[in-house]
Amino acid sequence: MRWLKDMRVWLFAATFLTVSFAGASFSGLMDFHRPLSIFYGMPFAVSLLVILLAHEMGHYVAARRWGVEVDGPYFIPFPFFLGTFGAFIRVKSPIPNRIALCDIGAAGPWAGMGTAVAILFLVYPLRLELGDFAANQVRLAILVGFIVTLVNLLPSGSLDGGHLAYAFFGNLNQRIVGLVMFFSSLLTMVFVVFFNSAISPLVFFILYIVGGGTIHPPTENDLLPLDWKRKVVVIITLIIYAVLLYGSTLVRFGSK
């Protein structure tokens, strides 16, 4: 029963409850006089947590393949809105080079995005069997999964986008890399303001600051260049970022 002493288990359990509460509340099915009504939010909770878990396990598996010591994932429960602040893994040893950084940074968004798309194609044919409330919750979870991928790709310090930016430009002067991150993030915020994105620019600004801004720790060997395959990965991920960013202008929460 050693798992009962693992904080990650309790954080996941708490997050499952808070996200279920959010799902039931979104569907108008949460009844405080019937505590078990929280489980009406399970379609949302299961779908969203699977997407978040896939994202973090993408990072985890890629890191372990490179011999990087990691711990997690740790889920963050939150009693309001979506029910969670997401999840993270702890990197406990240095990243060996920019190739490894690219693999680790890209694996999370690709795994999370792929899982969200897979759930979409799995659930769509079953929407009638699931019923309106369950299908709507799953669709909302998929949308949140896309948004999680988008905001994580913001080119800021410890965010996935920051890892990829550093992997791509890390052989340049640190100040130049910082300027690339800064102006890329600034361009994102300008875009969401002028094109009326569903995501507030304040969200990107806070994540930019919390993520570390222009600061990214060096790898053990920044001089090892990226091969062409990793450069393609970064470019494709940038395209995904642009598509998701444009898609955020088409979404209106709360609209019928």
Side-chain angles (χ1 to χ4, degrees):
M1 303 292 283
R2 292 172 56 187
W3 60 272
L4 288 174
K5 299 179 181 180
D6 192 332
M7 182 175 64
R8 292 170 295 183
V9 173
W10 293 105
L11 284 173
F12 180 83
T15 305
F16 182 81
L17 291 176
T18 54
V19 177
S20 294
F21 173 80
S25 299
F26 290 145
S27 298
L29 298 172
M30 186 65 212
D31 183 351
F32 289 97
H33 297 291
R34 294 188 301 124
L36 292 181
S37 65
I38 191 174
F39 293 109
Y40 283 124
M42 282 184 62
F44 178 70
V46 171
S47 302
L48 180 56
L49 293 183
V50 165
I51 293 170
L52 293 178
L53 180 61
H55 183 116
E56 296 307 323
M57 290 307 296
H59 290 313
Y60 184 92
V61 171
R64 292 302 298 266
R65 287 188 63 186
W66 276 97
V68 176
E69 187 178 355
V70 288
D71 186 22
Y74 295 87
F75 285 82
I76 309 172
F78 184 65
F80 306 106
F81 193 42
L82 296 175
T84 180
F85 276 138
F88 66 94
I89 61 171
R90 290 192 304 167
V91 178
K92 302 169 69 175
S93 64
I95 308 295
N97 51 60
R98 291 188 295 124
I99 295 176
L101 182 63
C102 177
D103 289 352
I104 296 168
W110 281 49
M113 183 84 172
T115 301
V117 172
I119 293 174
L120 176 63
F121 281 100
L122 177 66
V123 168
Y124 184 78
L126 301 175
R127 63 193 184 282
L128 296 179
E129 289 82 355
L130 288 172
D132 286 342
F133 92 90
N136 288 338
Q137 285 189 28
V138 173
R139 281 195 289 265
L140 179 60
I142 293 169
L143 176 60
V144 172
F146 289 156
I147 292 174
V148 167
T149 302
L150 169 60
V151 298
N152 267 286
L153 287 175
L154 183 72
S156 170
S158 61
L159 298 181
D160 298 338
H163 297 327
L164 293 175
Y166 192 90
F168 200 84
F169 297 105
N171 60 321
L172 302 176
N173 182 281
Q174 291 288 321
R175 187 171 297 177
I176 296 176
V177 178
L179 287 174
V180 169
M181 291 186 182
F182 173 77
F183 283 109
S184 299
S185 298
L186 181 62
L187 183 61
T188 295
M189 295 179 213
V190 170
F191 179 90
V192 300
V193 169
F194 280 91
F195 290 90
N196 197 22
S197 169
I199 308 173
S200 168
L202 183 61
V203 172
F204 287 102
F205 177 75
I206 292 173
L207 285 172
Y208 177 78
I209 299 300
V210 173
T214 62
I215 301 172
H216 191 288
T219 68
E220 291 186 307
N221 182 10
D222 279 349
L223 297 180
L224 184 66
L226 288 187
D227 56 22
W228 69 269
K229 294 179 182 178
R230 268 62 176 212
K231 291 179 180 178
V232 170
V233 166
V234 174
I235 292 170
I236 292 175
T237 307
L238 178 61
I239 293 171
I240 292 173
Y241 181 62
V243 170
L244 290 174
L245 190 58
Y246 173 73
S248 73
T249 67
L250 307 178
V251 175
R252 291 295 173 265
F253 291 108
S255 60
K256 300 293 184 182

